[in-house]
Amino acid sequence: MCDTCGCSTEGGAVLRKPGQSDYHLHVNEHEHAHGEHHSHEHGDHHHEGSGRKVLLEQDVLQKNNLLAERNRGYFEARGIFALNFLSSPGSGKTSLLEKIIPALKQRFPVAVIEGDQQTTNDADRIQALGVPVIQINTGSGCHLDALMVNRAMKELEMQDNSLLCIENVGNLVCPALFDLGEALKVVIISVTEGDDKPLKYPTIFHEADICILNKIDLLPYVEFDAAKCRENAMRVNHHLEWFELSAKTGEGLAAWQEWLEATMAQH
Amino acid sequence: MHEMSIALSIVEAVEERARQEGAGWISEVELLVGKLAGIEPESLQFCFSAAAAGTLAARARLAIEEPEGVGECGECGTTFPVNFYYAECPACRSLRVKILTGEEFLIQSMTIEEEEE
Ligand SMILES: Nc1nc2c(ncn2[C@@H]2O[C@H](COP(=O)(O)OP(=O)(O)O)[C@@H](O)[C@H]2O)c(=O)[nH]1
Ligand SMILES: [Mg+2]
Ligand SMILES: [Zn+2]
Ligand SMILES: [Zn+2]
Ligand SMILES: [Zn+2]
Ligand SMILES: [Zn+2]
């Protein structure tokens, strides 16, 4: 057990469906048994120098990356366009989905995977929009990984050529490292956070394809320099597509929606 | 942070390979963790000992090499050290910087020992 953040070594994630209280499925993170080798409790008599060096040169995240590629292959084969939404807790990921899905589902089928440590609250909010949704509860885990998404997508009734929105666990640190097989990463930041956020969490902004500045309806009430925030984000990643909008009032939403529809069409 | 799940995948990877090699136990694991990889080496060290308990890597020393970040300017081609993603070219001030090194996150090697006793 890591007491920095509390990622769990046991337990693992659970899938849930809104309105189906009897449905839950465990995602086993570590299926390997520790085998039959006896534990070495015989002191510190290391035989220095007697060891043999074995080269691995293997990516630490290789297992996740390989599974993410399998997810990606599955999505591509079915024409599914997957977006991975990342932000701090409360930046407005679920609100944005709630706002945009009713319009998008007129154009193409939409499905949602919700990631949260606990509760199906967000999945319930999406369920109300009438699109297929599944909840991944990561427990003490602070990010989604490719295995969780692999299990979840098999449980979700997705149509071919649909848009799949994956809402990651609210966290700007480790979700950046775990590829899920998505086509694009969307990072959301809101004007109630600092405009230096891209500099504080550069990895996630560097990995992202799209950055959405949300809650611009609150700009008159907060000290937040949108231009500076954008500049900071661009310093970290000059390829970022940048949008400013309010999931509450709908201001700026059309530009993002048009961009998304155009990208879907090319896909 | 995420270091615990990462420590577990490292232990899993080295244990699997050590078994294939017929090792008794693992005395050292060498990692390459670039300065820009988004990993805290100290936190990883801490999580590693917990993750390795009861495995072939239980007594392994974790050696972490941390390559410095090096960027290349997309405008003028200058290469220069970077310690963050928001690097600026020292020659022409461009922000179009391509990261050459510093993002590594690899299990380089491990040292395996014969079964004792
Ligand atoms: N004023 C304002 N509030 C917003 C906006 N978007 C979301 N919120 C509020 O921010 C809070 C967190 O939103 P939520 O969508 O649950 O964030 P998530 O944790 O990223 O999914 C809720 O109280 C929302 O009503 C916005 O554009 N403007
Ligand atoms: Mg949410
Ligand atoms: Zn159960
Ligand atoms: Zn995490
Ligand atoms: Zn952790
Ligand atoms: Zn330059």
Side-chain angles (χ1 to χ4, degrees), chain A residues 141-192:
Chain A
C142 45
H143 57 267
L144 295 181
D145 65 31
L147 178 64
M148 297 175 199
V149 169
N150 185 273
R151 295 290 147 81
M153 72 196 196
K154 287 176 183 158
E155 294 292 313
L156 194 61
E157 296 94 42
M158 269 188 293
Q159 296 178 44
D160 289 350
N161 304 312
S162 61
L163 173 70
L164 173 63
C165 299
I166 305 169
E167 179 177 337
N168 216 310
V169 179
N171 173 355
L172 281 181
V173 184
C174 43
L177 295 170
F178 291 84
D179 185 7
L180 306 179
E182 72 275 344
L184 299 172
K185 286 186 170 73
V186 184
V187 62
I188 299 177
I189 125 165
S190 64
V191 305
T192 54

Side-chain angles (χ1 to χ4, degrees), chain A residues 14 24-26:
Chain A
V14 177
H24 87 282
L25 200 76
H26 291 268

Side-chain angles (χ1 to χ4, degrees), chain A residues 190-210:
Chain A
S190 64
V191 305
T192 54
E193 303 163 48
D195 47 32
D196 59 350
K197 205 133 198 188
L199 302 184
K200 285 187 174 159
Y201 300 91
T203 311
I204 208 145
F205 286 86
H206 186 259
E207 292 300 313
D209 303 281
I210 299 158

Side-chain angles (χ1 to χ4, degrees), chain A residues 5 52 54 56 58 63, chain B residues 1 12 107-108 110 112-113:
Chain A
C5 77
R52 178 160 65 90
V54 180
L56 282 98
Q58 170 180 335
K63 213 175 139 190
Chain B
M1 257 195 295
E12 197 174 343
I107 307 171
Q108 271 294 56
M110 65 178 169
I112 53 175
E113 311 286 335

Side-chain angles (χ1 to χ4, degrees), chain A residues 93-94 114 116 122 125 167:
Chain A
K93 298 181 294 300
T94 314
E114 278 292 339
D116 269 302
D122 285 2
R125 285 162 65 183
E167 179 177 337

Side-chain angles (χ1 to χ4, degrees), chain B residues 9-89:
Chain B
S9 38
I10 294 169
V11 170
E12 197 174 343
V14 294
E15 234 202 349
E16 187 181 324
R17 182 63 186 274
R19 280 182 202 291
Q20 289 166 10
E21 301 281 338
W25 58 286
I26 303 166
S27 56
E28 184 172 77
V29 175
E30 276 183 358
L31 297 185
L32 210 56
V33 181
K35 288 258 168 74
L36 300 170
I39 303 292
E40 286 296 333
E42 262 178 48
S43 167
L44 189 56
Q45 285 282 8
F46 174 81
C47 292
F48 182 79
S49 33
T55 75
L56 292 183
R59 286 185 297 153
R61 192 175 85 86
L62 188 65
I64 304 180
E65 193 191 325
E66 298 173 69
E68 298 290 334
V70 175
E72 182 185 54
C73 175
E75 305 288 348
C76 75
T78 306
T79 61
F80 51 93
V82 297
N83 45 23
F84 238 21
Y85 278 118
Y86 52 99
E88 185 177 277
C89 172

